[in-house]
Amino acid sequence: MSENLKIAIQKKGKLHDKSMALLKNCGISIENFQDRLFVNASNFNLDILFLRDDDIPEYVQDNVAHIGIVGENEMLEKGLDVEPIKKLGFGKCSLMLGIPEKDELTNIKELENKIIATSYPNILNNFLSDNKIAAKVIELSGSVEIAPSLGVADYICDLVSSGNTLKLNKLKKSFNIIDSQAVLIKSKKFDESPELKKTFEKLMMRIDSSLKAKKTKYIMMNVPKNSLEKIIEIIPSLESPTVLPLSHESLVAVHAVIKEDKFWEINEELKEAGASGILSISIENIIL
Ligand code: PRT
Ligand code: ZN
């Protein structure tokens, strides 16, 4: 029997649902995984290990899992020998310094001799030593945001996404230490037998096509024939747009794939140029 590729993902928490959704979008069926540490995909040579995010870099370093999905923050903090291979576009946050609302911090040198609480002592200590600052770092495993009000620390260094946790604790954002998102990591000890290599490459191709599709939309519209040239100029399509005849002789239908970040601007321009009935749909996968 052929060996399955093993992927480690978070069992429960902020990265779990989107890691599962990514695998599902790659056409991988995972059933009855609740309360289990390990399942096989029913239609792909893949085993899924459900772990705490803190443990994923080590499992991947030791090749217990060949690949894993983890926050860049966790990968950098652990400093283990794994290979980051792909940013996945979810779980976005920043590791930031948080300071009491009433305080002002204009220069990082003002951190000298301060006490900073964090769950990321390695990243913070590297940042401080890069900037030649002597501050005291205390490590807390959770609820870092209450440290200043308890008098345990002057400042904190924690992950921030919306900023609400800081606000609730009368803290505000100060310096940004690193930006982070979920990343796919690979074991450097991955013994690439031809079968495993094939499964790995197949999965990478599916992940790439799913990530590409996320950034794009498929749009369809009706265009008066005499505006067609102008409309085609507006559409920065992946491929040249498809133009189809319609029963109404003065109109044609135009279909195209466009980048999501330009979606509204392009739609406005298309409308101004005479397009009507503009429909857009999300794309699940793009295989180029
Ligand atoms: O049990 P396990 O160890 O697996 O989970 P965990 O509790 O350690 O991790 P979890 O699920 O909280 O986070 C997993 C990963 O999600 C992190 O390592 C980050 O890469 C990513 N991520 C993205 C975040 C956030 N956004 C985030 N906002 N991780 C934590 N937070 C916390 C932050 O620590 C703070 O308490 O959310 C709070 C701030 O959020 P805002 O929106 O109020 O600013
Ligand atoms: Zn954790």
Side-chain angles (χ1 to χ4, degrees), residues 185-235:
I185 55 174
K186 183 177 170 213
S187 176
K188 290 190 177 170
K189 294 184 194 148
F190 187 171
D191 169 24
E192 296 193 3
S193 70
E195 284 155 21
L196 268 186
K197 192 164 186 261
K198 207 166 146 203
T199 312
F200 172 74
E201 278 166 5
K202 216 162 144 187
L203 181 64
M204 288 310 105
M205 200 276 279
R206 293 193 189 187
I207 290 179
D208 279 344
S209 76
S210 157
L211 294 177
K212 270 194 201 104
K214 274 222 176 64
K215 293 185 192 142
T216 53
K217 280 198 179 289
Y218 192 82
I219 57 167
M220 296 169 272
M221 71 209 86
N222 295 337
V223 172
K225 276 186 181 155
N226 56 12
S227 309
L228 185 59
E229 216 171 301
K230 211 166 149 203
I231 295 279
I232 288 176
E233 266 173 35
I234 296 170
I235 302 173

Short mmCIF file of all heavy atoms in Angstrom, two decimals, residues 185-235:
data_model
loop_
_atom_site.label_atom_id
_atom_site.label_comp_id
_atom_site.label_asym_id
_atom_site.label_seq_id
_atom_site.Cartn_x
_atom_site.Cartn_y
_atom_site.Cartn_z
N ILE A 185 4.02 24.96 5.75
CA ILE A 185 5.44 24.64 5.98
C ILE A 185 5.70 23.18 5.60
O ILE A 185 4.78 22.35 5.62
CB ILE A 185 5.87 24.90 7.45
CG1 ILE A 185 4.97 24.15 8.45
CG2 ILE A 185 5.87 26.38 7.75
CD1 ILE A 185 5.45 24.26 9.89
N LYS A 186 6.97 22.91 5.28
CA LYS A 186 7.32 21.57 4.82
C LYS A 186 8.53 21.08 5.60
O LYS A 186 9.41 21.87 5.95
CB LYS A 186 7.67 21.66 3.33
CG LYS A 186 7.98 20.35 2.68
CD LYS A 186 8.23 20.58 1.17
CE LYS A 186 8.77 19.36 0.52
NZ LYS A 186 9.69 19.65 -0.56
N SER A 187 8.55 19.80 5.86
CA SER A 187 9.67 19.21 6.57
C SER A 187 10.90 19.16 5.67
O SER A 187 10.80 18.83 4.49
CB SER A 187 9.31 17.80 7.02
OG SER A 187 10.43 17.22 7.64
N LYS A 188 12.06 19.48 6.26
CA LYS A 188 13.29 19.37 5.47
C LYS A 188 13.75 17.92 5.40
O LYS A 188 14.62 17.57 4.62
CB LYS A 188 14.38 20.25 6.07
CG LYS A 188 14.07 21.73 5.88
CD LYS A 188 15.26 22.58 6.26
CE LYS A 188 14.96 24.05 6.00
NZ LYS A 188 15.99 24.91 6.57
N LYS A 189 13.14 17.06 6.25
CA LYS A 189 13.51 15.64 6.22
C LYS A 189 12.56 14.84 5.35
O LYS A 189 12.59 13.62 5.35
CB LYS A 189 13.47 15.07 7.64
CG LYS A 189 14.49 15.67 8.57
CD LYS A 189 14.42 14.96 9.92
CE LYS A 189 15.17 15.73 10.97
NZ LYS A 189 14.58 15.57 12.29
N PHE A 190 11.67 15.53 4.68
CA PHE A 190 10.68 14.89 3.82
C PHE A 190 11.39 13.97 2.82
O PHE A 190 12.11 14.44 1.95
CB PHE A 190 9.94 16.03 3.09
CG PHE A 190 8.75 15.59 2.27
CD1 PHE A 190 7.91 16.56 1.72
CD2 PHE A 190 8.46 14.27 2.03
CE1 PHE A 190 6.81 16.21 0.97
CE2 PHE A 190 7.37 13.90 1.28
CZ PHE A 190 6.55 14.87 0.74
N ASP A 191 11.22 12.68 3.02
CA ASP A 191 11.86 11.71 2.14
C ASP A 191 10.96 11.54 0.93
O ASP A 191 9.93 10.88 0.99
CB ASP A 191 12.03 10.39 2.90
CG ASP A 191 12.45 9.27 1.97
OD1 ASP A 191 13.03 9.58 0.91
OD2 ASP A 191 12.19 8.10 2.29
N GLU A 192 11.39 12.18 -0.16
CA GLU A 192 10.47 12.25 -1.29
C GLU A 192 10.49 10.98 -2.14
O GLU A 192 11.09 10.94 -3.19
CB GLU A 192 10.76 13.49 -2.14
CG GLU A 192 10.51 14.76 -1.34
CD GLU A 192 10.47 16.00 -2.19
OE1 GLU A 192 10.58 15.88 -3.42
OE2 GLU A 192 10.33 17.09 -1.63
N SER A 193 9.82 9.95 -1.66
CA SER A 193 9.62 8.76 -2.49
C SER A 193 8.77 9.21 -3.67
O SER A 193 8.00 10.17 -3.54
CB SER A 193 8.90 7.68 -1.70
OG SER A 193 7.57 8.08 -1.48
N PRO A 194 8.89 8.56 -4.82
CA PRO A 194 8.16 9.04 -6.00
C PRO A 194 6.66 9.20 -5.74
O PRO A 194 6.06 10.17 -6.19
CB PRO A 194 8.43 7.96 -7.04
CG PRO A 194 9.65 7.27 -6.60
CD PRO A 194 9.73 7.39 -5.12
N GLU A 195 6.08 8.29 -4.94
CA GLU A 195 4.62 8.39 -4.70
C GLU A 195 4.28 9.61 -3.85
O GLU A 195 3.35 10.35 -4.15
CB GLU A 195 4.12 7.16 -3.92
CG GLU A 195 4.01 5.93 -4.75
CD GLU A 195 4.11 4.69 -3.88
OE1 GLU A 195 3.87 4.81 -2.66
OE2 GLU A 195 4.45 3.64 -4.42
N LEU A 196 5.07 9.80 -2.76
CA LEU A 196 4.80 10.95 -1.89
C LEU A 196 4.99 12.25 -2.66
O LEU A 196 4.22 13.19 -2.51
CB LEU A 196 5.77 10.95 -0.71
CG LEU A 196 5.33 10.25 0.56
CD1 LEU A 196 6.35 10.50 1.65
CD2 LEU A 196 3.96 10.77 1.02
N LYS A 197 6.04 12.28 -3.47
CA LYS A 197 6.36 13.48 -4.24
C LYS A 197 5.18 13.81 -5.16
O LYS A 197 4.77 14.97 -5.28
CB LYS A 197 7.63 13.24 -5.06
CG LYS A 197 8.20 14.48 -5.67
CD LYS A 197 9.64 14.23 -6.11
CE LYS A 197 10.28 15.51 -6.58
NZ LYS A 197 10.31 15.68 -8.00
N LYS A 198 4.61 12.78 -5.77
CA LYS A 198 3.50 12.97 -6.69
C LYS A 198 2.28 13.52 -5.94
O LYS A 198 1.63 14.45 -6.40
CB LYS A 198 3.17 11.62 -7.35
CG LYS A 198 2.54 11.78 -8.70
CD LYS A 198 2.56 10.44 -9.42
CE LYS A 198 1.31 10.33 -10.28
NZ LYS A 198 0.94 8.97 -10.57
N THR A 199 2.01 12.94 -4.78
CA THR A 199 0.86 13.41 -3.98
C THR A 199 1.07 14.86 -3.55
O THR A 199 0.17 15.69 -3.62
CB THR A 199 0.67 12.54 -2.71
OG1 THR A 199 0.72 11.19 -3.08
CG2 THR A 199 -0.64 12.84 -2.03
N PHE A 200 2.32 15.15 -3.11
CA PHE A 200 2.64 16.50 -2.68
C PHE A 200 2.44 17.49 -3.83
O PHE A 200 1.80 18.54 -3.67
CB PHE A 200 4.10 16.53 -2.17
CG PHE A 200 4.61 17.91 -1.86
CD1 PHE A 200 4.19 18.59 -0.73
CD2 PHE A 200 5.51 18.54 -2.71
CE1 PHE A 200 4.65 19.87 -0.45
CE2 PHE A 200 5.98 19.81 -2.45
CZ PHE A 200 5.55 20.48 -1.31
N GLU A 201 2.96 17.16 -5.00
CA GLU A 201 2.83 18.07 -6.14
C GLU A 201 1.38 18.27 -6.57
O GLU A 201 0.97 19.37 -6.92
CB GLU A 201 3.68 17.57 -7.31
CG GLU A 201 5.13 17.99 -7.11
CD GLU A 201 6.10 17.27 -8.03
OE1 GLU A 201 5.64 16.51 -8.90
OE2 GLU A 201 7.32 17.48 -7.85
N LYS A 202 0.62 17.20 -6.47
CA LYS A 202 -0.80 17.27 -6.81
C LYS A 202 -1.52 18.23 -5.84
O LYS A 202 -2.30 19.08 -6.26
CB LYS A 202 -1.40 15.87 -6.66
CG LYS A 202 -2.45 15.51 -7.67
CD LYS A 202 -2.57 13.99 -7.65
CE LYS A 202 -3.98 13.53 -7.86
NZ LYS A 202 -4.14 12.11 -7.70
N LEU A 203 -1.19 18.07 -4.56
CA LEU A 203 -1.82 18.95 -3.56
C LEU A 203 -1.40 20.41 -3.77
O LEU A 203 -2.23 21.32 -3.71
CB LEU A 203 -1.46 18.48 -2.14
CG LEU A 203 -2.09 19.30 -1.01
CD1 LEU A 203 -3.61 19.17 -1.01
CD2 LEU A 203 -1.54 18.87 0.35
N MET A 204 -0.11 20.63 -4.07
CA MET A 204 0.36 22.00 -4.30
C MET A 204 -0.35 22.63 -5.49
O MET A 204 -0.72 23.80 -5.47
CB MET A 204 1.88 22.04 -4.56
CG MET A 204 2.75 21.77 -3.37
SD MET A 204 2.33 22.76 -1.94
CE MET A 204 1.53 21.55 -0.98
N MET A 205 -0.56 21.85 -6.53
CA MET A 205 -1.23 22.37 -7.73
C MET A 205 -2.67 22.78 -7.37
O MET A 205 -3.13 23.84 -7.74
CB MET A 205 -1.21 21.28 -8.81
CG MET A 205 -1.43 21.77 -10.21
SD MET A 205 -3.16 21.91 -10.58
CE MET A 205 -3.58 20.23 -10.96
N ARG A 206 -3.33 21.94 -6.57
CA ARG A 206 -4.71 22.27 -6.18
C ARG A 206 -4.76 23.49 -5.26
O ARG A 206 -5.64 24.32 -5.38
CB ARG A 206 -5.34 21.05 -5.48
CG ARG A 206 -5.54 19.89 -6.44
CD ARG A 206 -6.43 18.86 -5.81
NE ARG A 206 -6.46 17.64 -6.60
CZ ARG A 206 -7.27 16.62 -6.34
NH1 ARG A 206 -8.08 16.66 -5.30
NH2 ARG A 206 -7.27 15.54 -7.10
N ILE A 207 -3.79 23.58 -4.33
CA ILE A 207 -3.77 24.74 -3.44
C ILE A 207 -3.53 26.01 -4.25
O ILE A 207 -4.20 27.02 -4.07
CB ILE A 207 -2.71 24.57 -2.31
CG1 ILE A 207 -3.17 23.48 -1.34
CG2 ILE A 207 -2.48 25.88 -1.57
CD1 ILE A 207 -2.21 23.18 -0.20
N ASP A 208 -2.57 25.96 -5.17
CA ASP A 208 -2.28 27.13 -6.02
C ASP A 208 -3.52 27.57 -6.79
O ASP A 208 -3.83 28.76 -6.86
CB ASP A 208 -1.18 26.82 -7.03
CG ASP A 208 0.19 26.92 -6.40
OD1 ASP A 208 0.29 27.51 -5.32
OD2 ASP A 208 1.15 26.39 -7.00
N SER A 209 -4.22 26.61 -7.36
CA SER A 209 -5.38 26.99 -8.19
C SER A 209 -6.48 27.55 -7.32
O SER A 209 -7.19 28.47 -7.69
CB SER A 209 -5.85 25.82 -9.05
OG SER A 209 -6.57 24.91 -8.29
N SER A 210 -6.60 27.04 -6.10
CA SER A 210 -7.61 27.55 -5.20
C SER A 210 -7.24 28.97 -4.72
O SER A 210 -8.10 29.85 -4.62
CB SER A 210 -7.76 26.57 -4.05
OG SER A 210 -8.28 27.16 -2.93
N LEU A 211 -5.93 29.21 -4.46
CA LEU A 211 -5.51 30.56 -4.02
C LEU A 211 -5.67 31.57 -5.15
O LEU A 211 -6.09 32.71 -4.92
CB LEU A 211 -4.05 30.55 -3.54
CG LEU A 211 -3.76 29.72 -2.27
CD1 LEU A 211 -2.27 29.75 -1.96
CD2 LEU A 211 -4.55 30.22 -1.07
N LYS A 212 -5.36 31.15 -6.37
CA LYS A 212 -5.50 32.04 -7.53
C LYS A 212 -6.97 32.43 -7.70
O LYS A 212 -7.30 33.58 -7.95
CB LYS A 212 -5.01 31.36 -8.80
CG LYS A 212 -3.56 31.60 -9.04
CD LYS A 212 -3.16 31.21 -10.45
CE LYS A 212 -1.68 30.97 -10.48
NZ LYS A 212 -1.32 29.54 -10.50
N ALA A 213 -7.84 31.41 -7.57
CA ALA A 213 -9.26 31.66 -7.78
C ALA A 213 -9.82 32.64 -6.76
O ALA A 213 -10.68 33.46 -7.07
CB ALA A 213 -10.03 30.34 -7.71
N LYS A 214 -9.30 32.58 -5.53
CA LYS A 214 -9.80 33.47 -4.47
C LYS A 214 -9.60 34.93 -4.83
O LYS A 214 -10.33 35.79 -4.39
CB LYS A 214 -9.04 33.19 -3.16
CG LYS A 214 -9.64 32.10 -2.37
CD LYS A 214 -9.69 32.41 -0.88
CE LYS A 214 -10.42 31.29 -0.20
NZ LYS A 214 -9.67 30.02 -0.33
N LYS A 215 -8.56 35.20 -5.60
CA LYS A 215 -8.24 36.59 -5.91
C LYS A 215 -8.96 37.07 -7.17
O LYS A 215 -8.67 38.13 -7.67
CB LYS A 215 -6.73 36.72 -6.11
CG LYS A 215 -5.96 36.49 -4.82
CD LYS A 215 -4.49 36.76 -5.05
CE LYS A 215 -3.67 36.26 -3.88
NZ LYS A 215 -2.41 35.69 -4.31
N THR A 216 -9.83 36.24 -7.71
CA THR A 216 -10.45 36.61 -8.98
C THR A 216 -11.97 36.43 -8.98
O THR A 216 -12.52 35.75 -8.12
CB THR A 216 -9.90 35.71 -10.11
OG1 THR A 216 -10.06 34.37 -9.71
CG2 THR A 216 -8.46 35.97 -10.41
N LYS A 217 -12.63 37.05 -9.93
CA LYS A 217 -14.07 36.87 -10.13
C LYS A 217 -14.34 36.68 -11.61
O LYS A 217 -13.59 37.16 -12.46
CB LYS A 217 -14.82 38.11 -9.63
CG LYS A 217 -15.00 38.12 -8.13
CD LYS A 217 -16.11 39.08 -7.74
CE LYS A 217 -16.35 39.10 -6.26
NZ LYS A 217 -16.99 37.89 -5.76
N TYR A 218 -15.42 35.98 -11.87
CA TYR A 218 -15.85 35.80 -13.26
C TYR A 218 -16.97 36.79 -13.50
O TYR A 218 -17.94 36.82 -12.74
CB TYR A 218 -16.35 34.35 -13.42
CG TYR A 218 -16.55 33.95 -14.86
CD1 TYR A 218 -15.48 33.54 -15.63
CD2 TYR A 218 -17.82 33.97 -15.44
CE1 TYR A 218 -15.66 33.15 -16.95
CE2 TYR A 218 -18.01 33.59 -16.76
CZ TYR A 218 -16.92 33.18 -17.51
OH TYR A 218 -17.09 32.80 -18.81
N ILE A 219 -16.84 37.66 -14.52
CA ILE A 219 -17.92 38.61 -14.78
C ILE A 219 -18.51 38.41 -16.18
O ILE A 219 -17.81 37.99 -17.11
CB ILE A 219 -17.51 40.10 -14.59
CG1 ILE A 219 -16.32 40.47 -15.47
CG2 ILE A 219 -17.22 40.42 -13.15
CD1 ILE A 219 -16.12 41.97 -15.52
N MET A 220 -19.81 38.69 -16.24
CA MET A 220 -20.54 38.55 -17.52
C MET A 220 -21.36 39.82 -17.70
O MET A 220 -21.89 40.34 -16.71
CB MET A 220 -21.51 37.37 -17.44
CG MET A 220 -20.82 36.06 -17.27
SD MET A 220 -21.98 34.74 -16.85
CE MET A 220 -22.04 34.84 -15.11
N MET A 221 -21.45 40.30 -18.92
CA MET A 221 -22.23 41.52 -19.13
C MET A 221 -22.73 41.59 -20.57
O MET A 221 -22.19 40.90 -21.44
CB MET A 221 -21.37 42.75 -18.82
CG MET A 221 -20.29 43.00 -19.84
SD MET A 221 -18.85 43.80 -19.17
CE MET A 221 -17.94 42.40 -18.57
N ASN A 222 -23.72 42.44 -20.79
CA ASN A 222 -24.18 42.72 -22.15
C ASN A 222 -23.55 44.03 -22.60
O ASN A 222 -23.49 45.00 -21.83
CB ASN A 222 -25.71 42.86 -22.18
CG ASN A 222 -26.36 41.53 -21.83
OD1 ASN A 222 -25.76 40.47 -21.98
ND2 ASN A 222 -27.60 41.61 -21.35
N VAL A 223 -23.10 44.04 -23.86
CA VAL A 223 -22.36 45.20 -24.34
C VAL A 223 -22.88 45.59 -25.74
O VAL A 223 -22.99 44.73 -26.62
CB VAL A 223 -20.85 44.85 -24.44
CG1 VAL A 223 -20.07 45.95 -25.12
CG2 VAL A 223 -20.28 44.54 -23.07
N PRO A 224 -23.22 46.88 -25.95
CA PRO A 224 -23.59 47.30 -27.31
C PRO A 224 -22.38 47.10 -28.23
O PRO A 224 -21.25 47.40 -27.83
CB PRO A 224 -23.89 48.80 -27.16
CG PRO A 224 -24.01 49.04 -25.69
CD PRO A 224 -23.24 47.97 -24.99
N LYS A 225 -22.64 46.56 -29.45
CA LYS A 225 -21.51 46.23 -30.33
C LYS A 225 -20.57 47.41 -30.54
O LYS A 225 -19.36 47.26 -30.59
CB LYS A 225 -22.04 45.76 -31.68
CG LYS A 225 -22.39 44.28 -31.65
CD LYS A 225 -22.78 43.80 -33.03
CE LYS A 225 -23.14 42.34 -33.01
NZ LYS A 225 -24.03 41.96 -34.09
N ASN A 226 -21.15 48.63 -30.60
CA ASN A 226 -20.27 49.77 -30.87
C ASN A 226 -19.42 50.20 -29.66
O ASN A 226 -18.58 51.07 -29.77
CB ASN A 226 -21.05 50.95 -31.46
CG ASN A 226 -22.20 51.36 -30.56
OD1 ASN A 226 -22.26 50.92 -29.41
ND2 ASN A 226 -23.09 52.19 -31.07
N SER A 227 -19.66 49.59 -28.47
CA SER A 227 -18.80 49.89 -27.30
C SER A 227 -17.81 48.78 -27.03
O SER A 227 -17.01 48.87 -26.08
CB SER A 227 -19.65 50.06 -26.04
OG SER A 227 -20.70 50.95 -26.24
N LEU A 228 -17.86 47.71 -27.83
CA LEU A 228 -17.08 46.50 -27.51
C LEU A 228 -15.58 46.78 -27.37
O LEU A 228 -14.95 46.33 -26.42
CB LEU A 228 -17.33 45.43 -28.59
CG LEU A 228 -16.67 44.08 -28.32
CD1 LEU A 228 -17.15 43.48 -27.01
CD2 LEU A 228 -16.96 43.11 -29.47
N GLU A 229 -15.04 47.58 -28.32
CA GLU A 229 -13.60 47.84 -28.28
C GLU A 229 -13.19 48.50 -26.96
O GLU A 229 -12.23 48.10 -26.31
CB GLU A 229 -13.26 48.76 -29.45
CG GLU A 229 -11.91 48.43 -30.06
CD GLU A 229 -11.73 49.22 -31.34
OE1 GLU A 229 -12.57 49.06 -32.27
OE2 GLU A 229 -10.80 50.02 -31.37
N LYS A 230 -14.00 49.49 -26.57
CA LYS A 230 -13.72 50.24 -25.34
C LYS A 230 -13.81 49.32 -24.11
O LYS A 230 -12.96 49.35 -23.22
CB LYS A 230 -14.76 51.36 -25.21
CG LYS A 230 -14.25 52.59 -24.51
CD LYS A 230 -15.21 53.73 -24.74
CE LYS A 230 -15.21 54.67 -23.57
NZ LYS A 230 -16.44 55.44 -23.50
N ILE A 231 -14.83 48.47 -24.12
CA ILE A 231 -15.05 47.56 -22.99
C ILE A 231 -13.86 46.59 -22.86
O ILE A 231 -13.35 46.35 -21.77
CB ILE A 231 -16.37 46.74 -23.19
CG1 ILE A 231 -17.58 47.67 -23.16
CG2 ILE A 231 -16.48 45.59 -22.21
CD1 ILE A 231 -18.09 48.07 -21.81
N ILE A 232 -13.40 46.07 -23.97
CA ILE A 232 -12.29 45.10 -23.93
C ILE A 232 -11.02 45.77 -23.40
O ILE A 232 -10.24 45.17 -22.68
CB ILE A 232 -12.08 44.44 -25.31
CG1 ILE A 232 -13.26 43.48 -25.54
CG2 ILE A 232 -10.76 43.68 -25.40
CD1 ILE A 232 -13.29 42.80 -26.88
N GLU A 233 -10.86 47.05 -23.72
CA GLU A 233 -9.69 47.78 -23.21
C GLU A 233 -9.74 47.90 -21.68
O GLU A 233 -8.72 47.93 -21.02
CB GLU A 233 -9.65 49.19 -23.79
CG GLU A 233 -8.80 49.27 -25.02
CD GLU A 233 -8.91 50.62 -25.68
OE1 GLU A 233 -9.06 51.64 -24.97
OE2 GLU A 233 -8.89 50.65 -26.93
N ILE A 234 -10.95 48.01 -21.13
CA ILE A 234 -11.09 48.20 -19.67
C ILE A 234 -10.78 46.93 -18.90
O ILE A 234 -10.27 46.97 -17.79
CB ILE A 234 -12.54 48.68 -19.33
CG1 ILE A 234 -12.80 50.04 -19.97
CG2 ILE A 234 -12.77 48.73 -17.83
CD1 ILE A 234 -14.25 50.47 -19.90
N ILE A 235 -11.04 45.78 -19.53
CA ILE A 235 -10.93 44.51 -18.79
C ILE A 235 -9.51 43.97 -18.81
O ILE A 235 -9.05 43.46 -19.83
CB ILE A 235 -11.88 43.44 -19.39
CG1 ILE A 235 -13.32 43.95 -19.37
CG2 ILE A 235 -11.78 42.14 -18.62
CD1 ILE A 235 -14.29 43.02 -20.09
#
